[in-house]
Amino acid sequence: MLDYLIVGSGLAGISFAEIALKNNKSILVVDDKSQNSSRIAGGLYNPVILKRFSEVWNAKEHLVLMNEFYDQVEDKLQEKFNYKMPILRKFFSIEEQNNWFAASDKINLAPFLSTKLITKKYQSIDSPYDYGEVLHTGYVKTGQLLESYREYLKENNLLLEESFHSSFLDILDSGIQYKNIKARNIIFAEGFGLHKNPYFNYLPLDGTKGELFLIKAPDLKLDVIVNTSVFILPIGGNLFKVGATYNWHDKTDLPTEEGKQELLDRIKEIITCDFEIVKHFAGVRPTVADRRPLVGTHEAYKSIHLLNGLGTRGVMLGPALAKMLYENIENETPIDKEADIKRFHKRYLKSLNFDQR
């Protein structure tokens, strides 16, 4: 009998797989690559919500666990995934500068917002009001990370490359059985695929579609990430990731003309040079209305667990939330109330009443 059957190999899934393996637990991952939001993501990590100048939930703690996790995985796979890089917030007015400095005086934001204006002029970007620098930032090459980790799982016979079908899942006294596989626990880390999950489909996962570009711009000389209405991330070879859009209605992972035009308009507001669209990506992020993740154990079945709702911050949240869930299962360490799916207990009860009718 396995310790853990893990459904999904995005950032949530591999984060849980890694902590389980680190603790000498036996695992098997089931995934068919149907959810692509982790793979196409920009991969940025940033402890500040720049639209509102507020701290990301538990940012200090999550940054520590995040860096430990990526250091460990880089050492294990002998590849580089985590790149430290400043994020510069371009100011469009004196008022925005003032708001930045007011925010930097707040105790929880002071460690993350530099009080020194960045006055450097970058080629092909007009910046009459300069930039503010966010500290402790960077990006993870998520596509490379997930492919490399998937290869590691395959090489060690820890990956079942197929779609997961809930109809084959049976609940046992000692855990679960899926087809001919028995496990003490099953972890659902399937991102937006949660909507097809009969055990957790009562939860308010409201996926948000995002579109982004890979562009080539030889005259854009950047060694930092620039953030305004979109981010511009240099990845080398005159290539830049640019994104992202937010669409709360379209739940497909297909690029759209509407998304393309929105990105084009925003890029042209920032840079003055010519550029070429190399690729146009789209995916549905697993987001929740209250901007908190979905972590915990099913109310009726104690061997069925959930790790989801990482939203736009999977790179930063995945390792911390995987550790939180693992410690809860193995050591009964309480899950943070803001992340625990128990906050939707009333929804669960309503789903039972509906089924009974």
Side-chain angles (χ1 to χ4, degrees):
M1 178 176 279
L2 294 170
D3 291 308
Y4 292 100
L5 180 65
I6 302 167
V7 182
S9 66
L11 289 167
I14 71 162
S15 293
F16 194 91
E18 185 61 19
I19 193 169
L21 291 172
K22 184 181 177 183
N23 285 277
N24 300 311
K25 302 298 182 183
S26 55
I27 71 163
L28 181 67
V29 178
V30 184
D31 186 65
D32 62 358
K33 283 189 170 182
S34 61
Q35 302 300 316
N36 70 339
S37 63
S38 289
R39 289 179 181 82
I40 65 128
L44 273 63
Y45 52 89
N46 172 11
V48 181
I49 301 170
L50 291 172
K51 285 184 179 179
R52 299 188 294 276
F53 287 127
S54 57
E55 181 189 4
V56 170
W57 174 62
N58 288 349
K60 290 179 186 176
E61 174 191 347
H62 292 167
L63 279 172
V64 171
L65 294 172
M66 179 202 78
N67 282 309
E68 289 177 357
F69 172 80
Y70 293 118
D71 286 349
Q72 176 182 318
V73 173
E74 286 180 340
D75 184 60
K76 179 177 193 165
L77 302 182
Q78 290 297 293
E79 287 187 61
K80 178 75 172 171
F81 306 111
N82 184 12
Y83 294 82
K84 312 287 186 183
M85 186 176 285
I87 291 180
L88 301 189
R89 173 69 157 83
K90 180 185 169 181
F91 297 132
F92 287 89
S93 66
I94 295 295
E95 182 183 8
E96 281 197 346
Q97 283 186 4
N98 293 337
N99 291 340
W100 175 277
F101 288 116
S104 68
D105 281 338
K106 297 177 181 177
I107 293 175
N108 60 329
L109 292 177
F112 305 127
L113 298 181
S114 171
T115 56
K116 182 181 178 181
L117 278 179
I118 303 299
T119 59
K120 181 176 178 178
K121 300 303 177 186
Y122 291 95
Q123 185 174 318
S124 302
I125 300 181
D126 291 330
S127 55
Y129 299 100
D130 301 322
Y131 306 87
E133 181 180 358
V134 189
L135 308 174
H136 309 292
T137 59
Y139 73 100
V140 170
K141 288 189 174 179
T142 55
Q144 179 188 339
L145 166 66
L146 295 178
E147 282 304 313
S148 295
Y149 203 91
R150 191 180 180 88
E151 284 303 310
Y152 162 78
L153 293 173
K154 285 170 67 174
E155 289 169 6
N156 290 276
N157 298 314
L158 301 176
L159 179 65
L160 188 60
E161 294 185 275
E162 64 180 46
S163 299
F164 182 89
H165 296 285
S166 300
S167 58
F168 294 115
L169 180 64
D170 294 315
I171 313 300
L172 310 176
D173 290 340
S174 56
I176 61 95
Q177 180 164 346
Y178 180 70
K179 298 183 178 181
N180 63 340
I181 302 161
K182 289 184 178 181
R184 289 195 304 114
N185 300 280
I186 184 168
I187 309 295
F188 285 108
E190 56 209 324
F192 189 64
L194 181 72
H195 281 281
K196 297 179 182 178
N197 187 320
Y199 296 96
F200 294 110
N201 59 9
Y202 67 91
L203 291 167
L205 188 78
D206 183 22
T208 308
K209 181 172 182 172
E211 300 186 47
L212 65 159
F213 287 160
L214 178 67
I215 67 170
K216 187 169 188 178
D219 295 326
L220 181 59
K221 306 300 183 184
L222 276 180
D223 57 358
V224 296
I225 302 163
V226 172
N227 179 289
T228 58
S229 56
V230 291
F231 66 79
I232 301 178
L233 164 64
I235 60 172
N238 295 322
L239 295 173
F240 303 83
K241 274 191 174 181
V242 182
T245 63
Y246 291 82
N247 186 321
W248 287 267
H249 305 292
D250 182 357
K251 308 300 182 185
T252 70
D253 58 6
L254 300 173
T256 65
E257 282 301 315
E258 179 185 6
K260 179 179 180 180
Q261 192 58 53
E262 182 179 343
L263 286 173
L264 286 171
D265 290 344
R266 292 186 178 187
I267 293 170
K268 290 172 182 177
E269 289 176 352
I270 304 166
I271 66 175
T272 58
C273 61
D274 293 333
F275 60 90
E276 170 195 352
I277 300 171
V278 179
K279 287 185 182 178
H280 182 186
F281 304 97
V284 182
R285 312 173 185 93
T287 54
V288 185
D290 65 2
R291 295 191 176 93
R292 291 292 180 267
L294 299 170
V295 183
T297 298
H298 193 278
E299 301 216 21
Y301 307 113
K302 300 309 176 187
S303 56
I304 298 180
H305 314 278
L306 183 67
L307 181 58
N308 208 315
L310 276 59
T312 61
R313 303 188 184 275
V315 162
M316 192 166 151
L317 294 182
L321 295 177
K323 183 176 188 293
M324 186 185 293
L325 181 58
Y326 179 85
E327 293 293 343
N328 177 256
I329 296 168
E330 296 291 339
N331 304 314
E332 299 184 356
T333 305
I335 291 172
D336 188 309
K337 290 181 180 179
E338 291 191 65
D340 200 326
I341 59 174
K342 289 179 181 177
R343 69 191 190 272
F344 297 112
H345 178 68
K346 289 182 180 179
R347 278 179 173 260
Y348 173 68
L349 294 179
K350 284 183 180 179
S351 72
L352 293 181
N353 292 336
F354 180 79
D355 289 342
Q356 289 170 1
R357 288 200 298 272

PDB file of all heavy atoms in Angstrom, residues 1-4 170-177 181-186 301-305 329:
ATOM      1  N   MET A   1       0.840  -1.196   0.000  1.00  0.00           N
ATOM      2  CA  MET A   1       0.000   0.000   0.000  1.00  0.00           C
ATOM      3  C   MET A   1       0.875   1.244   0.000  1.00  0.00           C
ATOM      4  O   MET A   1       1.782   1.380   0.814  1.00  0.00           O
ATOM      5  CB  MET A   1      -0.926   0.011   1.220  1.00  0.00           C
ATOM      6  CG  MET A   1      -1.804   1.248   1.310  1.00  0.00           C
ATOM      7  SD  MET A   1      -2.976   1.222   2.660  1.00  0.00           S
ATOM      8  CE  MET A   1      -4.281   0.224   1.968  1.00  0.00           C
ATOM      9  N   LEU A   2       0.593   2.162  -0.929  1.00  0.00           N
ATOM     10  CA  LEU A   2       1.325   3.430  -0.977  1.00  0.00           C
ATOM     11  C   LEU A   2       0.928   4.325   0.181  1.00  0.00           C
ATOM     12  O   LEU A   2      -0.162   4.192   0.751  1.00  0.00           O
ATOM     13  CB  LEU A   2       1.000   4.166  -2.284  1.00  0.00           C
ATOM     14  CG  LEU A   2       1.448   3.552  -3.598  1.00  0.00           C
ATOM     15  CD1 LEU A   2       0.819   4.311  -4.752  1.00  0.00           C
ATOM     16  CD2 LEU A   2       2.965   3.567  -3.705  1.00  0.00           C
ATOM     17  N   ASP A   3       1.797   5.277   0.480  1.00  0.00           N
ATOM     18  CA  ASP A   3       1.415   6.316   1.438  1.00  0.00           C
ATOM     19  C   ASP A   3       0.520   7.351   0.773  1.00  0.00           C
ATOM     20  O   ASP A   3      -0.483   7.765   1.348  1.00  0.00           O
ATOM     21  CB  ASP A   3       2.669   6.993   2.017  1.00  0.00           C
ATOM     22  CG  ASP A   3       3.461   6.064   2.917  1.00  0.00           C
ATOM     23  OD1 ASP A   3       2.851   5.480   3.829  1.00  0.00           O
ATOM     24  OD2 ASP A   3       4.675   5.908   2.688  1.00  0.00           O
ATOM     25  N   TYR A   4       0.892   7.763  -0.473  1.00  0.00           N
ATOM     26  CA  TYR A   4       0.151   8.841  -1.128  1.00  0.00           C
ATOM     27  C   TYR A   4      -0.023   8.572  -2.625  1.00  0.00           C
ATOM     28  O   TYR A   4       0.955   8.292  -3.329  1.00  0.00           O
ATOM     29  CB  TYR A   4       0.871  10.182  -0.972  1.00  0.00           C
ATOM     30  CG  TYR A   4       0.880  10.698   0.443  1.00  0.00           C
ATOM     31  CD1 TYR A   4       2.006  10.541   1.253  1.00  0.00           C
ATOM     32  CD2 TYR A   4      -0.238  11.341   0.974  1.00  0.00           C
ATOM     33  CE1 TYR A   4       2.017  11.011   2.564  1.00  0.00           C
ATOM     34  CE2 TYR A   4      -0.234  11.809   2.279  1.00  0.00           C
ATOM     35  CZ  TYR A   4       0.886  11.643   3.070  1.00  0.00           C
ATOM     36  OH  TYR A   4       0.874  12.105   4.358  1.00  0.00           O
ATOM     37  N   ASP A 170     -12.365   3.907  -4.907  1.00  0.00           N
ATOM     38  CA  ASP A 170     -13.135   3.288  -3.823  1.00  0.00           C
ATOM     39  C   ASP A 170     -12.533   3.686  -2.481  1.00  0.00           C
ATOM     40  O   ASP A 170     -11.305   3.780  -2.326  1.00  0.00           O
ATOM     41  CB  ASP A 170     -13.116   1.761  -3.949  1.00  0.00           C
ATOM     42  CG  ASP A 170     -13.850   1.280  -5.190  1.00  0.00           C
ATOM     43  OD1 ASP A 170     -14.958   1.796  -5.454  1.00  0.00           O
ATOM     44  OD2 ASP A 170     -13.301   0.412  -5.898  1.00  0.00           O
ATOM     45  N   ILE A 171     -13.424   3.898  -1.498  1.00  0.00           N
ATOM     46  CA  ILE A 171     -12.984   4.245  -0.152  1.00  0.00           C
ATOM     47  C   ILE A 171     -12.870   2.975   0.678  1.00  0.00           C
ATOM     48  O   ILE A 171     -13.834   2.196   0.775  1.00  0.00           O
ATOM     49  CB  ILE A 171     -13.982   5.218   0.524  1.00  0.00           C
ATOM     50  CG1 ILE A 171     -14.364   6.363  -0.422  1.00  0.00           C
ATOM     51  CG2 ILE A 171     -13.390   5.757   1.823  1.00  0.00           C
ATOM     52  CD1 ILE A 171     -13.220   7.211  -0.888  1.00  0.00           C
ATOM     53  N   LEU A 172     -11.715   2.752   1.261  1.00  0.00           N
ATOM     54  CA  LEU A 172     -11.473   1.586   2.119  1.00  0.00           C
ATOM     55  C   LEU A 172     -11.355   2.027   3.572  1.00  0.00           C
ATOM     56  O   LEU A 172     -11.141   3.202   3.860  1.00  0.00           O
ATOM     57  CB  LEU A 172     -10.173   0.881   1.703  1.00  0.00           C
ATOM     58  CG  LEU A 172      -9.980   0.556   0.212  1.00  0.00           C
ATOM     59  CD1 LEU A 172      -8.603  -0.038  -0.002  1.00  0.00           C
ATOM     60  CD2 LEU A 172     -11.071  -0.378  -0.271  1.00  0.00           C
ATOM     61  N   ASP A 173     -11.454   1.080   4.483  1.00  0.00           N
ATOM     62  CA  ASP A 173     -11.243   1.402   5.905  1.00  0.00           C
ATOM     63  C   ASP A 173      -9.823   1.886   6.146  1.00  0.00           C
ATOM     64  O   ASP A 173      -9.575   2.738   7.006  1.00  0.00           O
ATOM     65  CB  ASP A 173     -11.507   0.164   6.766  1.00  0.00           C
ATOM     66  CG  ASP A 173     -12.982  -0.216   6.803  1.00  0.00           C
ATOM     67  OD1 ASP A 173     -13.825   0.664   6.496  1.00  0.00           O
ATOM     68  OD2 ASP A 173     -13.287  -1.374   7.126  1.00  0.00           O
ATOM     69  N   SER A 174      -8.890   1.360   5.362  1.00  0.00           N
ATOM     70  CA  SER A 174      -7.471   1.685   5.575  1.00  0.00           C
ATOM     71  C   SER A 174      -6.957   2.768   4.640  1.00  0.00           C
ATOM     72  O   SER A 174      -5.786   3.113   4.675  1.00  0.00           O
ATOM     73  CB  SER A 174      -6.638   0.423   5.375  1.00  0.00           C
ATOM     74  OG  SER A 174      -6.877  -0.123   4.081  1.00  0.00           O
ATOM     75  N   GLY A 175      -7.826   3.315   3.785  1.00  0.00           N
ATOM     76  CA  GLY A 175      -7.380   4.333   2.842  1.00  0.00           C
ATOM     77  C   GLY A 175      -8.265   4.356   1.607  1.00  0.00           C
ATOM     78  O   GLY A 175      -9.485   4.420   1.704  1.00  0.00           O
ATOM     79  N   ILE A 176      -7.634   4.248   0.422  1.00  0.00           N
ATOM     80  CA  ILE A 176      -8.391   4.273  -0.838  1.00  0.00           C
ATOM     81  C   ILE A 176      -7.833   3.215  -1.782  1.00  0.00           C
ATOM     82  O   ILE A 176      -6.691   2.744  -1.624  1.00  0.00           O
ATOM     83  CB  ILE A 176      -8.336   5.662  -1.527  1.00  0.00           C
ATOM     84  CG1 ILE A 176      -6.879   6.073  -1.890  1.00  0.00           C
ATOM     85  CG2 ILE A 176      -8.976   6.721  -0.638  1.00  0.00           C
ATOM     86  CD1 ILE A 176      -6.462   5.749  -3.295  1.00  0.00           C
ATOM     87  N   GLN A 177      -8.644   2.866  -2.769  1.00  0.00           N
ATOM     88  CA  GLN A 177      -8.158   2.037  -3.873  1.00  0.00           C
ATOM     89  C   GLN A 177      -8.576   2.693  -5.166  1.00  0.00           C
ATOM     90  O   GLN A 177      -9.737   3.074  -5.346  1.00  0.00           O
ATOM     91  CB  GLN A 177      -8.702   0.615  -3.809  1.00  0.00           C
ATOM     92  CG  GLN A 177      -8.195  -0.250  -4.960  1.00  0.00           C
ATOM     93  CD  GLN A 177      -8.390  -1.731  -4.740  1.00  0.00           C
ATOM     94  OE1 GLN A 177      -8.667  -2.165  -3.621  1.00  0.00           O
ATOM     95  NE2 GLN A 177      -8.217  -2.527  -5.783  1.00  0.00           N
ATOM     96  N   ILE A 181      -4.540   0.113  -7.507  1.00  0.00           N
ATOM     97  CA  ILE A 181      -3.588   0.836  -6.640  1.00  0.00           C
ATOM     98  C   ILE A 181      -4.244   1.121  -5.289  1.00  0.00           C
ATOM     99  O   ILE A 181      -5.343   1.678  -5.230  1.00  0.00           O
ATOM    100  CB  ILE A 181      -3.162   2.163  -7.282  1.00  0.00           C
ATOM    101  CG1 ILE A 181      -2.539   1.930  -8.657  1.00  0.00           C
ATOM    102  CG2 ILE A 181      -2.208   2.932  -6.369  1.00  0.00           C
ATOM    103  CD1 ILE A 181      -2.511   3.165  -9.533  1.00  0.00           C
ATOM    104  N   LYS A 182      -3.569   0.737  -4.224  1.00  0.00           N
ATOM    105  CA  LYS A 182      -4.049   1.051  -2.877  1.00  0.00           C
ATOM    106  C   LYS A 182      -3.116   2.088  -2.240  1.00  0.00           C
ATOM    107  O   LYS A 182      -1.901   2.034  -2.424  1.00  0.00           O
ATOM    108  CB  LYS A 182      -4.094  -0.200  -2.012  1.00  0.00           C
ATOM    109  CG  LYS A 182      -5.190  -1.179  -2.404  1.00  0.00           C
ATOM    110  CD  LYS A 182      -5.246  -2.357  -1.441  1.00  0.00           C
ATOM    111  CE  LYS A 182      -6.374  -3.315  -1.821  1.00  0.00           C
ATOM    112  NZ  LYS A 182      -6.457  -4.467  -0.885  1.00  0.00           N
ATOM    113  N   ALA A 183      -3.717   3.014  -1.493  1.00  0.00           N
ATOM    114  CA  ALA A 183      -2.922   4.055  -0.815  1.00  0.00           C
ATOM    115  C   ALA A 183      -3.605   4.466   0.476  1.00  0.00           C
ATOM    116  O   ALA A 183      -4.841   4.405   0.592  1.00  0.00           O
ATOM    117  CB  ALA A 183      -2.750   5.268  -1.723  1.00  0.00           C
ATOM    118  N   ARG A 184      -2.801   4.876   1.422  1.00  0.00           N
ATOM    119  CA  ARG A 184      -3.362   5.384   2.690  1.00  0.00           C
ATOM    120  C   ARG A 184      -4.090   6.696   2.464  1.00  0.00           C
ATOM    121  O   ARG A 184      -5.091   6.997   3.130  1.00  0.00           O
ATOM    122  CB  ARG A 184      -2.247   5.598   3.721  1.00  0.00           C
ATOM    123  CG  ARG A 184      -1.630   4.344   4.281  1.00  0.00           C
ATOM    124  CD  ARG A 184      -0.804   4.624   5.531  1.00  0.00           C
ATOM    125  NE  ARG A 184       0.228   5.627   5.291  1.00  0.00           N
ATOM    126  CZ  ARG A 184       0.262   6.840   5.849  1.00  0.00           C
ATOM    127  NH1 ARG A 184      -0.708   7.227   6.654  1.00  0.00           N
ATOM    128  NH2 ARG A 184       1.261   7.657   5.592  1.00  0.00           N
ATOM    129  N   ASN A 185      -3.587   7.508   1.517  1.00  0.00           N
ATOM    130  CA  ASN A 185      -4.159   8.834   1.269  1.00  0.00           C
ATOM    131  C   ASN A 185      -4.147   9.143  -0.216  1.00  0.00           C
ATOM    132  O   ASN A 185      -3.263   8.676  -0.951  1.00  0.00           O
ATOM    133  CB  ASN A 185      -3.349   9.920   1.993  1.00  0.00           C
ATOM    134  CG  ASN A 185      -3.304   9.727   3.490  1.00  0.00           C
ATOM    135  OD1 ASN A 185      -4.253  10.077   4.192  1.00  0.00           O
ATOM    136  ND2 ASN A 185      -2.202   9.188   3.996  1.00  0.00           N
ATOM    137  N   ILE A 186      -5.098   9.963  -0.639  1.00  0.00           N
ATOM    138  CA  ILE A 186      -5.075  10.518  -1.990  1.00  0.00           C
ATOM    139  C   ILE A 186      -5.100  12.030  -1.885  1.00  0.00           C
ATOM    140  O   ILE A 186      -5.861  12.598  -1.093  1.00  0.00           O
ATOM    141  CB  ILE A 186      -6.249  10.006  -2.850  1.00  0.00           C
ATOM    142  CG1 ILE A 186      -6.135  10.543  -4.284  1.00  0.00           C
ATOM    143  CG2 ILE A 186      -7.602  10.340  -2.230  1.00  0.00           C
ATOM    144  CD1 ILE A 186      -7.086   9.851  -5.269  1.00  0.00           C
ATOM    145  N   TYR A 301     -14.525  11.733   4.450  1.00  0.00           N
ATOM    146  CA  TYR A 301     -13.534  10.709   4.097  1.00  0.00           C
ATOM    147  C   TYR A 301     -12.142  11.195   4.472  1.00  0.00           C
ATOM    148  O   TYR A 301     -11.560  12.046   3.812  1.00  0.00           O
ATOM    149  CB  TYR A 301     -13.602  10.399   2.599  1.00  0.00           C
ATOM    150  CG  TYR A 301     -14.991  10.040   2.129  1.00  0.00           C
ATOM    151  CD1 TYR A 301     -15.682  10.875   1.260  1.00  0.00           C
ATOM    152  CD2 TYR A 301     -15.617   8.871   2.575  1.00  0.00           C
ATOM    153  CE1 TYR A 301     -16.962  10.554   0.824  1.00  0.00           C
ATOM    154  CE2 TYR A 301     -16.895   8.543   2.160  1.00  0.00           C
ATOM    155  CZ  TYR A 301     -17.565   9.389   1.284  1.00  0.00           C
ATOM    156  OH  TYR A 301     -18.830   9.074   0.869  1.00  0.00           O
ATOM    157  N   LYS A 302     -11.604  10.635   5.535  1.00  0.00           N
ATOM    158  CA  LYS A 302     -10.362  11.154   6.117  1.00  0.00           C
ATOM    159  C   LYS A 302      -9.110  10.769   5.338  1.00  0.00           C
ATOM    160  O   LYS A 302      -8.006  11.212   5.687  1.00  0.00           O
ATOM    161  CB  LYS A 302     -10.234  10.693   7.580  1.00  0.00           C
ATOM    162  CG  LYS A 302     -11.395  11.168   8.460  1.00  0.00           C
ATOM    163  CD  LYS A 302     -11.625  12.670   8.303  1.00  0.00           C
ATOM    164  CE  LYS A 302     -12.839  13.163   9.084  1.00  0.00           C
ATOM    165  NZ  LYS A 302     -13.158  14.580   8.789  1.00  0.00           N
ATOM    166  N   SER A 303      -9.259   9.982   4.296  1.00  0.00           N
ATOM    167  CA  SER A 303      -8.098   9.641   3.462  1.00  0.00           C
ATOM    168  C   SER A 303      -8.059  10.454   2.173  1.00  0.00           C
ATOM    169  O   SER A 303      -7.167  10.277   1.349  1.00  0.00           O
ATOM    170  CB  SER A 303      -8.135   8.146   3.123  1.00  0.00           C
ATOM    171  OG  SER A 303      -9.361   7.807   2.499  1.00  0.00           O
ATOM    172  N   ILE A 304      -9.041  11.364   1.991  1.00  0.00           N
ATOM    173  CA  ILE A 304      -9.128  12.174   0.777  1.00  0.00           C
ATOM    174  C   ILE A 304      -8.794  13.626   1.118  1.00  0.00           C
ATOM    175  O   ILE A 304      -9.445  14.228   1.980  1.00  0.00           O
ATOM    176  CB  ILE A 304     -10.534  12.073   0.152  1.00  0.00           C
ATOM    177  CG1 ILE A 304     -10.821  10.622  -0.245  1.00  0.00           C
ATOM    178  CG2 ILE A 304     -10.641  12.979  -1.064  1.00  0.00           C
ATOM    179  CD1 ILE A 304     -12.182  10.415  -0.877  1.00  0.00           C
ATOM    180  N   HIS A 305      -7.795  14.180   0.436  1.00  0.00           N
ATOM    181  CA  HIS A 305      -7.275  15.498   0.785  1.00  0.00           C
ATOM    182  C   HIS A 305      -7.189  16.396  -0.451  1.00  0.00           C
ATOM    183  O   HIS A 305      -7.139  15.905  -1.584  1.00  0.00           O
ATOM    184  CB  HIS A 305      -5.884  15.373   1.416  1.00  0.00           C
ATOM    185  CG  HIS A 305      -5.797  14.302   2.454  1.00  0.00           C
ATOM    186  ND1 HIS A 305      -6.208  14.477   3.765  1.00  0.00           N
ATOM    187  CD2 HIS A 305      -5.362  13.011   2.356  1.00  0.00           C
ATOM    188  CE1 HIS A 305      -6.008  13.351   4.438  1.00  0.00           C
ATOM    189  NE2 HIS A 305      -5.496  12.452   3.603  1.00  0.00           N
ATOM    190  N   ILE A 329      -1.713  15.975   7.888  1.00  0.00           N
ATOM    191  CA  ILE A 329      -2.039  14.558   7.720  1.00  0.00           C
ATOM    192  C   ILE A 329      -1.191  13.688   8.636  1.00  0.00           C
ATOM    193  O   ILE A 329      -1.705  12.785   9.303  1.00  0.00           O
ATOM    194  CB  ILE A 329      -1.822  14.135   6.247  1.00  0.00           C
ATOM    195  CG1 ILE A 329      -2.785  14.888   5.322  1.00  0.00           C
ATOM    196  CG2 ILE A 329      -2.009  12.630   6.090  1.00  0.00           C
ATOM    197  CD1 ILE A 329      -2.448  14.741   3.843  1.00  0.00           C
TER     198      ILE A 329
END
